[in-house]
């Protein structure tokens, strides 16, 4: 499949889309992301507390201090 982006005059949009569908073309709806939507989405990103980070730091130190067993 090839992706094609075209600009269609408003008055011809419905006709062109119907002709393309008749030929088996899949038409994806254009997604408009506004700045406020993007900012809102960013606010839902989780953050780690100091305790979370402390756990990883302690685990890192323990792992680094492991000594391989000699057989």
């Amino acid at each position: 499949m090839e992706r094609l982006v075209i600009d269609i005059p408003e008055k011809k949009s419905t006709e062109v889309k119907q002709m393309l569908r008749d030929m088996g073309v899949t038409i994806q709806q254009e997604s408009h992301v506004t700045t406020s939507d993007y900012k809102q989405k960013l606010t839902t990103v989780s953050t780690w507390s100091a305790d979370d980070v402390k756990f990883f730091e302690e685990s890192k130190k323990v792992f680094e201090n492991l000594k391989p067993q000699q057989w």
Side-chain angles (χ1 to χ4, degrees):
M1 282 265 175
E2 182 179 344
R3 180 174 292 267
L4 178 66
V5 178
I6 59 174
D7 292 321
I8 305 169
E10 282 291 322
K11 294 178 181 177
K12 300 287 183 174
S13 179
T14 304
E15 283 180 63
V16 171
K17 286 179 182 178
Q18 188 56 50
M19 288 181 355
L20 291 170
R21 283 189 192 101
D22 291 343
M23 291 189 296
V25 173
T26 302
I27 299 175
Q28 292 181 339
Q29 296 299 321
E30 192 173 330
S31 63
H32 297 283
V33 177
T34 63
T35 304
S36 60
D37 290 342
Y38 182 72
K39 287 180 180 178
Q40 179 62 35
K41 193 172 186 178
L42 283 177
T43 61
T44 62
V45 174
S46 66
T47 57
W48 291 2
S49 69
D51 289 337
D52 294 332
V53 174
K54 182 180 175 185
F55 172 78
F56 283 107
E57 291 297 325
E58 289 173 356
S59 298
K60 177 182 171 187
K61 289 177 186 173
V62 169
F63 183 75
E64 289 174 344
N65 291 328
L66 285 176
K67 304 264 191 276
Q69 291 183 351
Q70 298 291 327
W71 294 90

